[in-house]
Amino acid sequence: MYLTREEEELLNKPGCDVCMKLLLSVGRVFDAKRMVKVHSVHISGISYQNIGEAGLEWIENLSKIVKFRISATVNPAGMDLRRWKEMNIDEEFYHKQLRILRALKKMGARLEMCCTPYYFNEVGYGDTLAWAESNAVVYANSILGARTNRESGITAIASAVTGLTPEYGMHLKENRVPDIRVKIDLSEGDAAIAGCEIGRLECNLPYIVSKKKLEESEMKAMGAAMAATGGKTMFHVENQTPEWNVYSKPEERVAIGREELREAREENFPTEVPDIVAIGCPHASSMEILKIAEFARYKFVIPVWVFTCRRNLTNSTVKLAVEKIEKAGGKVFCDTCMVVSPATERFSKVMVDSGKALTYLPKLRGVKAFFGSLKECMEVATGRLVI
Ligand code: F3S
């Protein structure tokens, strides 16, 4: 793999050497020819619940010897930093999580603790990124036309330290060519479940032809779901996403119709009353919070937890919406989410409107997950839809 003199020098700097060697090994595995400079980094896997003692030690040790060279944001942690007691997080977990965050901050990370960095990072078409959060990776590649592989927390940190990433995978034009045409016909609230179905297709990169124009929130939900069920890192939507017309169209075709989606929704709809309704995977945007607040004119009879980025709460309209949700009996938590926090484990049945949470909650938190559209989730939560 070709390295410039400046890049070679990084191999001799304490701390940088480990990161550079790591990126070189990844590059060699994927046959990268060179390193490329990255515009921004997003680090996932920072919840103490996920990385435990070994991860905490690794980050703390690294923070004693290196600083990040470029802008790096971080994913949700294991708790709301201000309301962790309300989440039933124990003191020991709280302190361990704080140590991880302090170490990341010491290296130069921006502690956004949010999984939608595409809403607040300046990302341009064609920008090279090293992002590690599957929903953000799909969003950046597909909707913004930026270029990033699905990094791990460790390779993202290595990129923040060196400012580099090996050039392979989604950084190369030839790997952004769609290989299957997927015709979809969505009804309201179908996007996440459609994403789950598309993720399961045996293909690398779907070219989606939608009967109706997809909203941004639908593409966000769909991308997060297909990354969870099938590890997809990008999709094109005809006439909508920035690279839809750049590559040749795939020969292979498949259709996912209304009937199929209805069946998939029915299969995942609650068969028992959920203990909690959890919304905000990926983190709810300001617009999504306003939408949730519309349902809060009734009292919640089942607890509702909403997860979002703390920076959203600085907006006065969003603040009012949050007050409304909390007045109805819900809780709006920041810095964390239902999947990476151990708090979810005290429930046994969770209803979500997210294909990603539906996929990961049983595996990572050991809880039963049910799916409904946002409207259905809220109707169940307010007791207007009885299971
Ligand atoms: Fe974000 Fe947590 Fe879902 S990090 S995408 S809310 S699993």
Side-chain angles (χ1 to χ4, degrees):
M1 194 168 161
Y2 171 77
L3 290 185
T4 63
R5 183 176 296 176
E6 195 191 333
E7 288 163 2
E8 262 176 9
E9 280 166 11
L10 295 178
L11 284 164
N12 301 320
K13 291 192 176 154
C16 279
D17 55 349
V18 187
C19 295
M20 205 51 197
K21 279 180 196 156
L22 176 68
L23 295 177
L24 274 174
S25 329
V26 174
R28 283 191 193 114
V29 168
F30 291 100
D31 209 19
K33 302 279 177 286
R34 59 174 190 156
M35 292 284 179
V36 277
K37 288 195 164 64
V38 293
H39 286 79
S40 71
V41 167
H42 184 71
I43 303 164
S44 70
I46 61 142
S47 168
Y48 179 69
Q49 182 69 19
N50 293 356
I51 62 173
E53 215 49 38
L56 163 62
E57 256 179 50
W58 188 80
I59 292 177
E60 268 190 342
N61 287 339
L62 193 67
S63 75
K64 290 175 190 151
I65 42 177
V66 289
K67 291 266 180 263
F68 291 164
R69 293 178 159 228
I70 49 164
S71 166
T73 47
V74 302
N75 229 27
M79 69 211 174
D80 185 306
L81 288 196
R82 298 185 192 164
R83 302 174 73 181
W84 55 280
K85 284 189 179 157
E86 277 175 67
M87 296 183 82
N88 260 1
I89 297 289
D90 66 51
E91 294 251 352
E92 192 191 345
F93 184 94
Y94 171 76
H95 289 294
K96 299 255 164 129
Q97 183 65 71
L98 278 195
R99 279 171 59 193
I100 295 172
L101 296 174
R102 276 195 206 111
L104 286 164
K105 192 170 178 195
K106 193 174 166 205
M107 288 189 275
R110 279 160 55 201
L111 299 186
E112 297 281 354
M113 288 168 285
C114 176
C115 60
T116 53
Y118 35 86
Y119 288 142
F120 53 83
N121 266 325
E122 260 187 45
V123 180
Y125 181 85
D127 280 359
T128 300
L129 317 173
W131 283 12
E133 160 46 51
S134 61
N135 99 83
V137 168
V138 182
Y139 196 103
N141 281 319
S142 315
I143 300 169
L144 304 178
R147 297 180 172 206
T148 177
N149 285 317
R150 183 174 171 170
E151 300 294 341
S152 66
I154 293 179
T155 56
I157 288 178
S159 286
V161 170
T162 59
L164 301 167
T165 192
E167 190 181 42
Y168 70 95
M170 300 312 289
H171 296 294
L172 302 170
K173 221 174 161 188
E174 63 261 32
N175 296 320
R176 301 171 72 89
V177 181
D179 59 350
I180 193 165
R181 183 189 286 245
V182 188
K183 208 168 158 194
I184 55 168
D185 183 8
L186 302 189
S187 311
E188 198 203 322
D190 273 349
I193 225 69
C196 290
E197 297 299 311
I198 296 170
R200 291 190 187 103
L201 294 174
E202 276 187 27
C203 67
N204 286 323
L205 208 158
Y207 176 91
I208 297 167
V209 182
S210 174
K211 204 162 174 190
K212 70 169 195 86
K213 188 172 185 252
L214 297 179
E215 288 171 22
E216 180 271 344
S217 60
E218 288 177 313
M219 291 196 276
K220 174 185 172 189
M222 197 184 274
M226 68 176 81
T229 57
K232 307 286 187 277
T233 48
M234 185 178 185
F235 60 83
H236 300 287
V237 179
E238 191 163 79
N239 289 320
Q240 286 200 242
T241 50
E243 290 176 58
W244 78 272
N245 211 8
V246 175
Y247 313 101
S248 54
K249 306 286 176 291
E251 295 280 311
E252 201 182 334
R253 288 160 189 253
V254 65
I256 300 177
R258 287 198 174 204
E259 191 51 25
E260 207 173 331
L261 293 171
R262 194 184 55 77
E263 274 172 27
R265 276 175 67 165
E266 268 175 22
E267 258 169 44
N268 292 290
F269 199 72
T271 46
E272 308 163 69
V273 180
D275 305 322
I276 186 167
V277 171
I279 307 291
C281 173
H283 268 176
S285 65
S286 301
M287 289 305 292
E288 286 162 340
I289 291 178
L290 300 188
K291 225 187 226 175
I292 296 163
E294 283 172 22
F295 296 97
R297 56 185 180 275
Y298 304 101
K299 280 259 171 264
F300 297 133
V301 293
I302 293 174
V304 172
W305 283 9
V306 179
F307 296 92
T308 190
C309 310
R310 191 168 295 283
R311 64 160 52 224
N312 286 339
L313 305 195
T314 54
N315 176 296
S316 54
T317 316
V318 176
K319 254 191 203 163
L320 281 177
V322 169
E323 274 168 27
K324 241 174 156 183
I325 295 168
E326 300 235 342
K327 220 167 146 197
K331 288 194 187 295
V332 180
F333 290 121
C334 303
D335 317 319
T336 186
C337 83
M338 62 198 86
V339 174
V340 300
S341 174
T344 316
E345 289 169 10
R346 73 176 209 248
F347 304 101
S348 60
K349 293 161 283 172
V350 182
M351 185 174 185
V352 296
D353 68 337
S354 154
K356 180 170 177 179
L358 179 72
T359 309
Y360 285 146
L361 278 174
K363 290 183 198 162
L364 298 177
R365 296 283 72 85
V367 299
K368 199 165 185 177
F370 298 121
F371 178 85
S373 63
L374 178 63
K375 187 166 175 263
E376 288 165 339
C377 284
M378 291 295 115
E379 284 180 343
V380 168
T382 51
R384 289 161 67 237
L385 181 58
V386 181
I387 307 295

